[in-house]
Amino acid sequence: MDFPQVLAAIEKACAETQHPSTRAAADQVLINFKQSPNILPACQYILANSKTPFVQFQAASGITAAIVREYGLYSKSDIHSLQEYLITYNLQHPTLPWVSRQIYQAIAVVSKRGWLEGTEQEQDVVYNQISHLLSMGNHEREAGLLLARALVDEFSSRGKASNVGLTWDFHYKTKNSFEERHLRLIFEAALNVLHSEMQDLLSNPAQEVSGTQKPLLSTSLIILESILHWDFSTSSQPVLAGTFADEDDDTDKVVVYPDSWRTVLVNAEVLKLFFTLLPMVQADTILMHRVRQCLIQLCGLHGSIFVSEEATIHHISGVMTGLLSLIHNVATCSSDECLRSDYTDNMIAITEMIRQLLSYHPIHTIYAVPEKFEFLNQVAGLTIHCLDESAKMPEESESIMGAFDELLVTWVKLVQDSQNTILENNSTERVAAATSLLQFFHSISYRIVEKYIDTRLELAKFSVMDEEEGDGFQDWDTYGDQLIAITALARLDPQNTLHRLQNLLHGRVEKFQQFLNTTTDGDLPEHISFLLEHLHWLIVITGFVFADNNVGEGALVPEALNELSKTQPFEQDQLVNIFSNLMSLLSSVSFESHSVQSISCSPQIALSLFWFLERWVKAYLFSNPEDYGSLSPNLLHAYGEPSHGGKGVSILEFLIAKLRINFVMWNADPDVLSQIIILRD
């Protein structure tokens, strides 16, 4: 093979790929070259003699393809010499980052291809080279980290391995072997580099912090983040041969780390390192993101990696201490700071850390942490802060609501875990811990629910002003999970929640009725449009609080509401009074289709009311006392069967009459008609 001639042909092809008229033919030349036999010497010659980055890139990718295809034709000494050559080349020849990454990838592929056939000593070759490079100067340390990054990516099962035609079984076995032999060692090496970089930042606080200016910091973080999201064999789910996880799935995966990682991960100094580093890299959004992702994983440590309950409590305590500072920073930011592009990302990351911390430990363990109530109080404040900010910044409300959802899910899980601990007849000590926490959750639940209602009403105004068409989904579907979670908190303090809903509904229903009684032209002033949107959301929230959407089983009045109703005189029963208020609204918006008032009525209000009734009827109308230990006499009297002294028949007659009127009134609106038919059935 004439190497100079090959070099000239490859350089010509690379140049021609830049022109549309010659690109296809040039690409074919490059493909044919990579598929040619025995091209390793030619690729090395091209690397040594070409100054063109794209040509260098093609030579490196050619080595990758050739070594996979022809690995058996080379001796082990040839393979090791090739790896040494490529490492030396990158050290001695300044190249563009994407070229050097391709060369390091080639080294990693060479290592992986011979992994299963090699001895332990042969498997250690590249790692030993990394260790040697990391013991030298900054230039060599950077090369060592880049090589380590390539190695981690190549052995990973998270969608980063090269597409070089190797079997799924080969990838799986090499991943597990590499994981067992070298992964933790590389993690510790990257951690040491990160620590030294942080010490440098502490000693020289005025220096610029960016991935460009601090490559050792940046690359070590990339490695640490990748390893913390590693798909460990101890936590792997059953998979089909030939399938690999998507890289995008990393953030959703719960990683269970092997017990052998205990000394490096269950380490207060490691936790402190990342919490200390976070504010130091805030000028660089990419570095900031990587530190946050590492912290999210460390916050979620759980299971047998902790040697004892005391170790678990100590870890949770350290995380809570670190998070308290982060929560304070985001919860006390100024309005201008909250408008920064990274504010929302930071908020979401912190809420993910909180969810990770509190989701995997039993209630009695969380209760044993000294900082628990201080921490939970701050989390409650952050929850309310999320709602405040989403109301102030409607353009960011969806993102900030995402952070709120993280916290809401966490609150509900803590509440349910506490309730289950009490119900499962645990030890007296554990029941006492769960009871104490449940009392705390009761004390903060209404604050969150009240702020949620206020926020929904505030955002409703912006919804009215938004002229874009909806997505075709109803709010009770779009926000169903969120509303179910809010309902769980609302029922911890049902009296205050119902009192708030009752007052808001009463005032708005009365205002709308006054408008209907005085309107003469059917026009809707802006303030009435706001009022209608408020009524819609109050009906939706009330519907979730009043009843669950039981599918395939009999619906019951929620226990917390039934118990509350039993403590109230009939005339002051909140459930009865709120329902009466809503039925008063239904009467007010049920007109003959030719009336002036009907023009001012909202199909959304009609739809929301009939949706509410669909849920309500299943649980309340003609409730069977035998389904309850003790059904509230108020509910039995207001909605029960005549045989139980109830007035349910009159309610049914009222509803049938209103269904008939609205069926005619909204005959041109398919959504309302569909909901009426569902209710009728």
Side-chain angles (χ1 to χ4, degrees):
M1 186 178 290
D2 188 338
F3 293 161
Q5 185 178 351
V6 172
L7 173 57
I10 298 302
E11 287 188 329
K12 180 174 181 290
C14 287
E16 289 178 348
T17 59
Q18 309 304 312
H19 304 286
S21 61
T22 56
R23 181 176 300 149
D27 284 340
Q28 191 59 50
V29 170
L30 297 175
I31 292 172
N32 291 340
F33 169 70
K34 294 176 188 177
Q35 293 177 345
S36 300
N38 194 28
I39 61 168
L40 282 185
C43 290
Q44 290 177 261
Y45 179 85
I46 293 170
L47 282 175
N49 292 277
S50 177
K51 304 300 182 184
T52 307
F54 191 42
V55 175
Q56 296 168 340
F57 178 88
Q58 294 298 328
S61 59
I63 290 174
T64 302
I67 205 67
V68 172
R69 185 176 63 247
E70 302 171 350
Y71 185 83
L73 301 179
Y74 300 96
S75 67
K76 291 182 178 180
S77 61
D78 290 338
I79 295 296
H80 296 157
S81 296
L82 175 64
Q83 291 173 320
E84 289 282 0
Y85 168 79
L86 293 174
I87 292 173
T88 304
Y89 179 88
N90 256 350
L91 285 172
Q92 297 179 353
H93 295 77
T95 59
L96 294 177
W98 51 274
V99 176
S100 65
R101 281 197 299 270
Q102 183 62 35
I103 293 173
Y104 286 124
Q105 183 188 44
I107 299 170
V109 171
V110 170
S111 178
K112 182 175 181 178
R113 178 59 185 84
W115 190 268
L116 297 180
E117 303 167 18
T119 64
E120 289 188 355
Q121 184 178 4
E122 289 166 343
Q123 290 174 350
D124 290 343
V125 168
V126 175
Y127 172 73
N128 290 337
Q129 291 169 325
I130 291 171
S131 298
H132 177 65
L133 290 169
L134 291 178
S135 67
M136 302 171 72
N138 282 351
H139 177 60
E140 290 80 9
R141 293 170 75 206
E142 184 179 352
L145 287 175
L146 290 171
L147 180 54
R149 176 188 175 184
L151 208 60
V152 169
D153 286 349
E154 193 56 50
F155 281 86
S156 170
S157 63
R158 304 302 294 170
K160 297 179 180 179
S162 302
N163 182 17
V164 290
L166 297 171
T167 66
W168 176 88
D169 188 59
F170 179 87
H171 283 289
Y172 183 74
K173 288 180 178 178
T174 53
K175 179 197 81 74
N176 288 349
S177 176
F178 175 77
E179 171 190 316
E180 183 178 341
R181 286 191 57 73
H182 291 146
L183 191 64
R184 183 170 60 84
L185 297 175
I186 290 176
F187 184 87
E188 291 174 340
L191 202 59
N192 288 333
V193 174
L194 185 67
H195 182 266
S196 66
E197 288 295 290
M198 190 190 73
Q199 293 300 318
D200 181 58
L201 290 176
L202 289 171
S203 60
N204 301 284
Q207 62 184 301
E208 178 184 347
V209 180
S210 68
T212 304
Q213 295 296 321
K214 305 289 290 182
L216 294 177
L217 175 67
S218 176
T219 308
S220 61
L221 277 174
I222 291 172
I223 294 169
L224 293 169
E225 181 190 0
S226 295
I227 295 177
L228 285 171
H229 286 97
W230 187 267
D231 185 17
F232 286 93
S233 56
T234 55
S235 60
S236 293
Q237 300 297 316
V239 293
L240 296 174
T243 62
F244 294 92
D246 291 332
E247 187 176 351
D248 293 341
D249 291 341
D250 284 356
T251 55
D252 298 326
K253 184 174 179 61
V254 177
V255 181
V256 179
Y257 301 96
D259 294 354
S260 58
W261 285 63
R262 181 178 296 132
T263 55
V264 65
L265 293 182
V266 185
N267 187 320
E269 292 303 315
V270 171
L271 200 59
K272 182 180 178 181
L273 167 64
F274 284 99
F275 274 118
T276 304
L277 188 60
L278 187 61
M280 301 173 72
V281 299
Q282 61 184 347
D284 189 299
T285 56
I286 296 177
L287 293 180
M288 186 86 160
H289 170 77
R290 298 199 186 285
V291 176
R292 288 190 301 235
Q293 290 303 309
C294 291
L295 276 171
I296 288 170
Q297 294 305 113
L298 291 174
C299 289
L301 291 181
H302 64 283
S304 61
I305 196 169
F306 293 107
V307 70
S308 65
E309 179 84 351
E310 290 73 21
T312 307
I313 293 169
H314 183 70
H315 173 77
I316 297 173
S317 175
V319 175
M320 285 184 176
T321 301
L323 282 174
L324 280 170
S325 176
L326 300 185
I327 293 171
H328 178 266
N329 290 339
V330 297
T332 58
C333 70
S334 65
S335 298
D336 290 339
E337 289 174 326
C338 291
L339 291 173
R340 281 177 16 203
S341 59
D342 62 338
Y343 170 79
T344 303
D345 293 337
N346 207 29
M347 176 78 81
I348 292 173
I350 292 171
T351 57
E352 287 179 358
M353 294 176 204
I354 294 169
R355 179 175 61 82
Q356 287 282 87
L357 174 65
L358 298 177
S359 293
Y360 303 113
H361 302 291
I363 284 297
H364 67 271
T365 301
I366 295 173
Y367 185 79
V369 179
E371 299 87 351
K372 59 184 176 297
F373 286 127
E374 178 189 4
F375 179 73
L376 291 172
N377 261 315
Q378 290 299 315
V379 174
L382 182 63
T383 308
I384 292 170
H385 178 73
C386 286
L387 292 170
D388 275 333
E389 293 306 316
S390 65
K392 291 178 187 176
M393 301 185 294
E395 68 281 358
E396 294 287 339
S397 63
E398 186 173 343
S399 298
I400 299 179
M401 272 293 184
F404 169 74
D405 286 340
E406 290 280 344
L407 296 174
L408 189 58
V409 168
T410 304
W411 285 121
V412 171
K413 187 177 188 307
L414 289 171
V415 168
Q416 292 174 341
D417 287 352
S418 299
Q419 292 170 333
N420 291 336
T421 299
I422 295 171
L423 293 174
E424 290 169 359
N425 297 318
N426 282 284
S427 67
T428 303
E429 182 181 352
R430 292 189 177 185
V431 170
T435 302
S436 178
L437 282 172
L438 202 56
Q439 290 172 345
F440 171 82
F441 300 145
H442 180 278
S443 71
I444 60 97
S445 62
Y446 177 65
R447 289 167 51 199
I448 296 172
V449 172
E450 180 184 35
K451 180 57 67 174
Y452 179 80
I453 295 171
D454 292 345
T455 301
R456 276 292 165 212
L457 298 185
E458 188 66 25
L459 290 173
K461 298 179 182 179
F462 297 106
S463 177
V464 171
M465 293 185 288
D466 187 357
E467 297 180 357
E468 292 185 11
E469 293 188 11
D471 56 10
F473 295 97
Q474 301 300 332
D475 287 331
W476 47 80
D477 294 322
T478 302
Y479 301 101
D481 291 342
Q482 188 181 83
L483 288 160
I484 290 171
I486 275 292
T487 295
L489 296 186
R491 291 177 185 167
L492 284 179
D493 190 355
Q495 185 169 2
N496 279 324
T497 297
L498 294 179
H499 180 72
R500 179 69 172 161
L501 290 171
Q502 186 175 358
N503 286 342
L504 291 170
L505 278 167
H506 178 76
R508 283 157 178 76
V509 169
E510 194 173 72
K511 287 181 181 179
F512 186 55
Q513 289 172 334
Q514 291 172 355
F515 167 74
L516 290 176
N517 291 333
T518 57
T519 184
T520 57
D521 54 12
D523 288 340
L524 284 181
E526 187 177 61
H527 74 279
I528 295 299
S529 296
F530 291 158
L531 186 66
L532 291 173
E533 191 68 16
H534 278 196
L535 282 170
H536 158 68
W537 268 104
L538 290 171
I539 294 167
V540 170
I541 295 171
T542 303
F544 273 87
V545 173
F546 264 47
D548 299 318
N549 185 26
N550 296 76
V551 178
E553 58 183 65
L556 298 175
V557 177
E559 182 181 1
L561 303 188
N562 184 44
E563 293 301 315
L564 175 64
S565 177
K566 288 193 289 187
T567 66
Q568 298 177 333
F570 182 81
E571 296 76 13
Q572 298 173 16
D573 190 298
Q574 292 171 294
L575 294 174
V576 174
N577 289 335
I578 290 175
F579 179 77
S580 298
N581 204 2
L582 289 176
M583 293 308 97
S584 172
L585 176 61
L586 178 59
S587 292
S588 299
V589 298
S590 301
F591 296 102
E592 299 297 333
S593 57
H594 60 271
S595 67
V596 174
Q597 289 91 339
S598 67
I599 303 174
S600 301
C601 290
S602 162
Q604 182 63 68
I605 293 299
L607 179 61
S608 302
L609 283 168
F610 289 123
W611 167 85
F612 168 85
L613 285 168
E614 179 198 351
R615 296 172 72 98
W616 181 90
V617 164
K618 295 175 184 177
Y620 289 81
L621 192 59
F622 302 131
S623 293
N624 185 356
E626 295 180 2
D627 292 335
Y628 301 83
S630 174
L631 178 61
S632 165
N634 294 344
L635 301 181
L636 193 60
H637 174 67
Y639 314 123
E641 296 182 4
S643 58
H644 295 122
K647 299 179 180 179
V649 172
S650 62
I651 297 294
L652 180 61
E653 291 172 347
F654 168 83
L655 294 179
I656 291 173
K658 298 310 173 187
L659 283 174
R660 288 173 176 166
I661 293 173
N662 281 272
F663 192 86
V664 176
M665 181 177 174
W666 299 108
N667 66 83
D669 192 301
D671 290 336
V672 179
L673 287 181
S674 296
Q675 190 61 55
I676 289 174
I677 292 170
I678 292 171
L679 176 58
R680 185 199 64 182
D681 294 341

